[in-house]
Amino acid sequence: MGHRNALVAAVRQELAEARGTARAVLAAAETARGEAQNRRRLVRDAYATCLSQLAAAREAARDDIQRRYRSEAIRLAGHLRGLATVSATGAAGAPWRLWAPSEPEPGGRPGLLRIGTISFDETTALPGLIPLLDAAHLHLSGPTATLDEVITGVLLRALGSTRPGDVRLTVYDPERLGGTLAAFAPLGPAFVGPGGLGSLLDELAEHICRVNELGRRGEPWRLVVLLADQATAAELTAGQQAQLNRIVRTGVACGVHLMVRGLELEADPTVERIVVRDRNATCDSLGRLEIRLDPPPDPERIALFCQGAANRLRPGSPHARLADLEPAKLWAESSRTGLAAPIGDSTDGALIEVPLDDGAPHALIGGPAGSGKTNLIYTWLGSLATRYGPEELALYLLDFTDGTSFARYAASLRDPSWLPQVRLAGINVDGDREFGLAMLRHLGEELRTRAQAAKRHDATGLAELRAADPDGYWPRIVAVIDEFPVLIDGRDAVAEEAVTLLEDLARRGPAQGIHLILAGREVAGAETLTGRFTLRIALPKARRILAADNLAAALIPRFHAVVNTESGAAGANRVVRLPDAGDLTVWRATQRKLWRGRPLGCEEPRLFDGDAVPRLPAAYRPAGRVPAADAPVGSSPGAVLGERIDVAAQPARLRLGRMPGRNLAVLGARTDEACDVLAAAALSLAAQGPAHFSVVCLTPEAAPAAARLVAELPAADWYDASDVHFDLPPSDVPRYVLGYALDAVTAEHRAALRALLADGPERRTHVLGWWRSVSALRADLDTVGAWVALDVPGADLAELHPQPDGPAWHPRTRRALFFDRSVHRTPEVIIPYEVNSDHT
């Protein structure tokens, strides 16, 4: 019995041990299963993340290909449009909404004429051009009403792009007795009625014979419009047909051109055949390309042009043209003792010159909107530019009128030429007064440089300095500021410094060859500044430009100005009739002539466009092989954050050395701009040498931009909300943590982030992070030495600013406030680069 009990006890003991072992094995299996499931979840999450990143990269690449395709198509269309602009200048090629009569350069050949537009894919339509004067006859077929509209438009362009009297018009219109082209009656064309075709052809044949014998010798072109009806075609005799054929063969060389509708012309290389269907046309010179016809010109436009041309043909002295202000020889004048250039003529036709010299060092221009202020500036600058070369004259131009007036002087996609005298042109700067301040600071530095040089050479002015230092570059400088009150209005630091700099330039500038031209609609409040501006130019209805008892500006008509060199005193007025200088095509012809004659080494002007967003330059992107980790390291790396608003377009840099606080905070809710600032900083750091990057993205809004950045960086880790951590391992190269929405860091990781901000810079680890609010950064202010504020009002930045009330900052799109407490006394405005949208 005892033996059996012992045996039972042993069996029970073994069963208990087996059950314990089974439980342990089961627990281990369950643990292993949990770990396997967790690994599977991590793999699935990583796979999903990779798919998301690949999809974002694929979309970015596709968008980039489409963007480059559109850009290349637009660029090629721009080149074609530029060629078309050169071939059909002014009135010959301008669309009707911008049309104005223009005159060719002396000795220039007639160009092509626009009749419509040609469309290619998604690019902007190109002008459809046809030849006429000195090139071809026109034969038109199609619906009569549409053909008459085309003929009317071609006539207006041919007449509007030549000088009055250069084209003699004859119209054969037996059906409507001249009524089809009655709008051109003020020009006095010869109308030929029924039965007069034979005598007209005979007279043209005799004219051609006479020209062949004697030469044209200034003879006007004969433009003959034949609007034949069915009866004319049926009654045309064999002799008349032969005469018509002779005119077709020999007329173009003798200045006789036919525009024919309703009659057949023999095949000849000089015949341009235009076939119209509905509102579309094809022509010989363009092959299969289809032209969408322009609408006909407005009858009132035709009447105004014809009346103006007729008035110019009457006896009397017409207004000066812009071409009349050009000297006989370009760039023949010296600016050693001053500048002088005509801006128009008097009623007797004599040109009136306006000086900029010791007697009249600066100019003040005034006139209300629409009075011709921009036209006057165009005229004056054009006259100066044709007289004084780049060695004699340097121009600095600012436009605060919310416009692009001075863009004509810089190169563009349509026209690669630029005005050689222009050093700087600022457009759309009404919201960037800081750029006006930058230009004035630059001129102040130039003034000090010239004053020091004059002191070294014991010279009292620019004339003596140029004589003492003939190898130096000392042109006279003319700074033009349109709507200057925008720059000096307001009680802020920008206005105060601008007034101080303008007063210094007005006082000391003339002795060193620096002159100011200030223009504005109203100059009230600027009397203390403008007291030194003895040269006053008042446009119609101008106020406070001339003396209070001088009412001349109220009496002059449009395209006139009052020039006064005695601070507006009555009795010193000269009334000037101004040319119309607004035709961009006419100006470009002059500018191209000056551009082709520019001296070697003449630099293209800096164009600052307040509406344009600068792209991150290629020099600040990693390219080719990244330097090895053991490559020598120079000074502290500098992160590029955006473009400074200055004359030289320099980047704003943040030096990241091994000092406490060498971290960056980007503040604000504008996701795109914050991502661009971080991307510019990271890419520029990667371009400088070996580095490792950790990208921490805690918001889906920034994920596409952050993924594109990771794809371009040579060495980068990706962290998101599921695996974020800031306990980074040591690195033998600088390490940069790029944090997107760091205000979303959870409590469990906040201490690690603070430790990284505090201790990281000494270990060559720097945080460049984006916080969507200032309050989220409040606890770490002492560990962040630099910040970039986007859409954060100045009052909210008081805790970050050296002054208790915060900076005078009003947020605006694509502008940021940058402050580095180790460098700046006050923050500076920068323009964040565009990075992600031009990713390649």
Side-chain angles (χ1 to χ4, degrees):
M1 189 68 179
H3 175 72
R4 186 176 59 184
N5 290 339
L7 181 60
V8 170
V11 170
R12 287 178 178 173
Q13 178 66 29
E14 290 178 359
L15 289 175
E17 290 177 356
R19 282 197 300 271
T21 302
R23 290 192 190 97
V25 171
L26 178 61
E30 289 179 348
T31 300
R33 184 184 66 175
E35 292 177 351
Q37 290 176 340
N38 186 50
R39 285 196 298 273
R40 183 179 64 178
R41 182 182 59 79
L42 292 176
V43 169
R44 285 179 176 176
D45 291 345
Y47 176 70
T49 301
C50 290
L51 285 181
S52 176
Q53 294 176 3
L54 288 173
R58 181 188 63 192
E59 290 299 319
R62 185 171 64 180
D63 291 344
D64 178 64
I65 292 171
Q66 292 176 345
R67 180 191 62 78
R68 284 190 285 179
Y69 166 75
R70 289 193 296 268
S71 176
E72 185 67 13
I74 292 173
R75 185 183 67 82
L76 292 175
H79 288 317
L80 291 175
R81 196 176 300 108
L83 292 174
T85 301
V86 173
S87 302
T89 60
W96 292 127
R97 61 186 178 84
L98 303 175
W99 191 88
S102 61
E103 295 186 6
E105 295 184 35
R109 291 178 56 83
L112 305 177
L113 303 176
R114 168 176 170 151
I115 61 171
T117 55
I118 305 171
S119 297
F120 292 98
D121 298 332
E122 300 177 359
T123 61
T124 305
L126 302 175
L129 307 177
I130 60 170
L132 183 58
L133 298 181
D134 280 352
H137 306 287
L138 299 184
H139 179 271
L140 299 96
S141 59
T144 300
T146 306
L147 296 183
D148 290 346
E149 292 177 353
V150 174
I151 291 171
T152 300
V154 171
L155 280 179
L156 184 58
R157 292 190 183 278
L159 294 168
S161 58
T162 55
R163 296 178 183 83
D166 281 358
V167 176
R168 180 179 169 187
L169 179 60
T170 302
V171 178
Y172 172 72
D173 187 8
E175 186 174 6
R176 300 187 59 188
L177 302 179
T180 304
L181 302 176
F184 294 92
L187 296 177
F191 286 106
V192 179
L197 179 60
S199 59
L200 172 61
L201 296 176
D202 291 340
E203 190 270 329
L204 292 175
E206 292 176 3
H207 174 78
I208 291 171
C209 291
R210 185 166 60 253
V211 171
N212 279 329
E213 293 177 2
L214 304 177
R216 285 189 62 182
R217 296 186 305 178
E219 285 277 347
W221 286 285
R222 296 288 303 273
L223 190 50
V224 182
V225 181
L226 302 181
L227 305 177
D229 55 9
Q230 293 181 355
T232 302
E235 297 171 1
L236 192 67
T237 67
Q240 291 173 342
Q241 184 66 59
Q243 196 79 294
L244 179 62
N245 293 341
R246 278 193 291 271
I247 295 170
V248 168
R249 292 192 301 270
T250 60
V252 170
C254 298
V256 176
H257 301 272
L258 304 177
M259 295 177 64
V260 180
R261 182 256 289 166
L263 287 177
E264 286 300 323
L265 297 183
E266 72 171 2
D268 190 86
T270 62
V271 176
E272 176 80 356
R273 299 185 187 276
I274 302 173
V275 179
V276 175
R277 299 179 183 86
D278 296 327
R279 296 298 304 174
N280 298 313
T282 57
C283 60
D284 292 344
S285 57
L286 295 178
R288 297 181 179 179
L289 293 179
E290 195 169 74
I291 303 172
R292 181 64 179 173
L293 294 174
D294 286 337
D298 186 70
E300 293 184 1
R301 184 187 298 275
I302 301 175
L304 288 174
F305 162 74
C306 292
Q307 191 61 51
N311 291 338
R312 291 189 60 180
L313 289 173
R314 295 192 184 106
S317 175
H319 283 225
R321 301 168 302 153
L322 190 61
D324 295 333
L325 305 184
E326 291 188 16
K329 183 179 181 182
L330 298 176
W331 296 352
E333 302 294 333
S334 170
S335 64
R336 180 176 179 179
T337 59
L339 301 166
I343 62 171
D345 61 359
S346 62
T347 54
D348 62 1
L351 296 181
I352 294 182
E353 288 192 339
V354 175
L356 281 174
D357 52 26
D358 293 340
H362 310 294
L364 183 63
I365 300 173
S371 61
K373 179 162 51 70
T374 301
N375 180 70
L376 169 59
I377 294 174
Y378 284 164
T379 302
W380 198 353
L381 293 180
S383 187
L384 285 169
T386 55
R387 280 166 171 73
Y388 301 94
E391 298 90 349
E392 302 291 334
L393 173 65
L395 297 173
Y396 291 78
L397 312 174
L398 276 184
D399 182 8
F400 283 101
T401 64
D402 189 21
T404 59
S405 298
F406 296 139
R408 59 163 49 191
Y409 301 121
S412 66
L413 291 176
R414 291 186 177 184
D415 185 0
S417 70
W418 36 269
L419 191 61
Q421 292 88 344
V422 175
R423 300 292 179 268
L424 173 73
I427 60 176
N428 294 314
V429 295
D430 53 307
D432 288 301
R433 295 163 62 231
E434 297 86 358
F435 186 75
L437 196 59
M439 189 191 82
L440 295 179
R441 289 171 179 164
H442 176 78
L443 293 178
E445 289 293 331
E446 179 67 22
L447 175 59
R448 284 187 285 275
T449 299
R450 294 188 175 201
Q452 292 170 0
K455 185 176 181 180
R456 287 196 306 270
H457 293 285
D458 196 23
T460 59
L462 182 65
E464 294 185 10
L465 175 60
R466 291 176 63 167
D469 185 12
D471 297 329
Y473 176 64
W474 309 113
R476 284 196 180 265
I477 293 175
V478 176
V480 182
I481 306 179
D482 198 0
E483 283 306 315
F484 75 98
V486 174
L487 177 60
I488 64 174
D489 282 351
R491 299 179 179 178
D492 58 11
V494 173
E496 292 176 2
E497 185 177 356
V499 169
T500 300
L501 291 170
L502 282 170
E503 288 178 342
D504 187 48
L505 289 169
R507 179 172 53 87
R508 300 194 300 130
Q512 306 303 332
I514 299 177
H515 307 275
L516 301 175
I517 299 177
L518 303 185
R521 301 174 188 175
E522 294 284 346
V523 296
E527 287 81 2
T528 57
L529 173 63
T530 59
R532 297 181 181 274
F533 288 67
T534 56
L535 174 58
R536 307 290 180 92
I537 304 179
L539 292 156
K541 306 299 185 293
R543 300 173 56 192
R544 295 187 175 94
I545 298 294
L546 305 178
D549 60 344
N550 191 342
L551 306 179
L555 305 176
I556 57 176
R558 189 167 180 261
F559 283 109
H560 285 68
V562 177
V563 177
N564 189 302
T565 57
E566 297 183 14
S567 300
N573 296 332
R574 289 185 296 167
V575 177
V576 183
R577 302 190 302 176
L578 303 172
D580 183 358
D583 191 320
L584 182 58
T585 305
V586 173
W587 166 248
R588 280 177 174 167
T590 300
Q591 180 166 285
R592 282 193 291 270
K593 184 166 51 177
L594 300 176
W595 177 64
R596 288 191 291 265
R598 67 191 186 279
L600 187 65
C602 186
E603 296 183 358
E604 184 174 348
R606 151 90 156 124
L607 177 65
F608 177 85
D609 184 352
D611 287 349
V613 180
R615 293 186 176 183
L616 179 67
Y620 303 134
R621 287 184 181 273
R625 295 186 59 187
V626 176
D630 57 353
V633 179
S635 60
S636 301
V640 170
L641 308 178
E643 183 175 284
R644 301 180 63 191
I645 300 181
D646 62 9
V647 172
Q650 296 177 338
R653 295 178 182 270
L654 171 64
R655 290 293 176 188
L656 296 174
R658 294 187 175 185
M659 294 83 70
R662 291 288 82 194
N663 302 303
L664 172 71
V666 181
L667 305 171
R670 293 202 290 253
T671 303
D672 291 343
E673 294 180 23
C675 291
D676 276 347
V677 173
L678 292 181
L683 294 172
S684 61
L685 289 168
Q688 296 175 52
H692 194 88
F693 297 85
S694 298
V695 177
V696 181
C697 184
L698 304 181
T699 175
E701 296 177 355
R708 285 195 294 268
L709 177 61
V710 170
E712 188 167 357
L713 290 172
D717 302 326
W718 173 271
Y719 304 94
D720 55 24
S722 65
D723 61 348
V724 60
H725 65 85
F726 297 101
D727 300 322
L728 302 176
S731 175
D732 54 356
V733 296
R735 190 178 194 117
Y736 304 101
V737 179
L738 303 167
Y740 292 81
L742 291 182
D743 51 283
V745 171
T746 59
E748 61 178 309
H749 299 296
R750 199 165 292 146
L753 174 60
R754 289 175 180 170
L756 183 63
L757 288 168
D759 304 329
E762 296 182 11
R763 294 185 283 111
R764 301 172 70 187
T765 300
H766 307 271
V767 176
L768 291 80
W770 168 37
W771 283 262
R772 289 171 290 190
S773 66
V774 177
S775 59
L777 185 65
R778 186 171 290 119
D780 303 307
L781 293 179
D782 58 334
T783 61
V784 177
W787 48 265
V788 172
L790 301 173
D791 54 347
V792 183
D796 294 349
L797 298 170
E799 298 177 84
L800 308 174
H801 192 257
Q803 302 300 323
D805 296 332
W809 166 244
H810 302 284
R812 53 193 192 267
T813 304
R814 268 294 162 181
R815 297 296 182 270
L817 202 62
F818 171 44
F819 181 74
D820 182 351
R821 66 188 183 193
S822 68
V823 175
H824 294 134
R825 289 187 299 174
T826 59
E828 69 169 318
V829 180
I830 65 173
I831 307 175
Y833 286 117
E834 183 182 74
V835 180
N836 286 323
S837 62
D838 67 338
H839 175 73
T840 55

